[in-house]
Amino acid sequence: MSKPDELLVDIATLVESAQSNQMSLTVVTGGAVITGRLAPEAVWRQRVAEVLNDSARLAGFSAAFTGSPGSAGENNPPTHLHFHVARILQGTVGIPETGGMYRVSIEDVSAWTVGDFSYSDH
């Protein structure tokens, strides 16, 4: 979307303000369908940093995620959606099977719906 969808920005703002990770959302962005739950940016960053820190090869990158959250604040609306326990839908399969963590620019979302889509891992 050339101009971010105001309703989607409002949803992201509520996720940030309530510090809730229970909002399920499915978005289309860049031709990919991503479905899962939204997380506040600070929670998402912390979890990504933990995963990276647990890796001998990637631990050095965890510092990039431990800084303060991006532009979202009291006066700035969120610019990104932060998915966790999320999957990219490819046909009838959701990848990765265990769920991943994705950051999507709200500006790049071309379609969305509340809720997550079912998928089959067979």
Side-chain angles (χ1 to χ4, degrees), residues 92-108:
T92 59
V93 178
I95 51 177
E97 288 183 23
T98 57
M101 295 175 282
Y102 303 101
R103 177 178 161 108
V104 175
S105 172
I106 293 172
E107 190 173 88
D108 293 337

Side-chain angles (χ1 to χ4, degrees), residues 15-31:
V15 169
E16 291 292 334
S17 66
Q19 292 296 296
S20 171
N21 64 357
Q22 297 304 304
M23 182 62 178
S24 294
L25 198 70
T26 299
V27 300
V28 177
T29 180

Side-chain angles (χ1 to χ4, degrees), residues 43-115:
V43 172
W44 182 87
R45 283 175 168 266
Q46 177 183 353
R47 182 66 187 127
V48 172
E50 290 169 359
V51 169
L52 292 172
N53 206 36
D54 288 345
S55 169
R57 293 179 299 128
L58 301 174
F61 291 98
S62 68
F65 294 90
T66 57
S68 63
S71 62
E74 289 181 28
N75 298 322
N76 298 316
T79 58
H80 291 77
L81 301 171
H82 295 87
F83 285 90
H84 73 117
V85 193
R87 290 167 179 83
I88 296 174
L89 298 182
Q90 181 67 37
T92 59
V93 178
I95 51 177
E97 288 183 23
T98 57
M101 295 175 282
Y102 303 101
R103 177 178 161 108
V104 175
S105 172
I106 293 172
E107 190 173 88
D108 293 337
V109 173
S110 59
W112 61 276
T113 187
V114 172

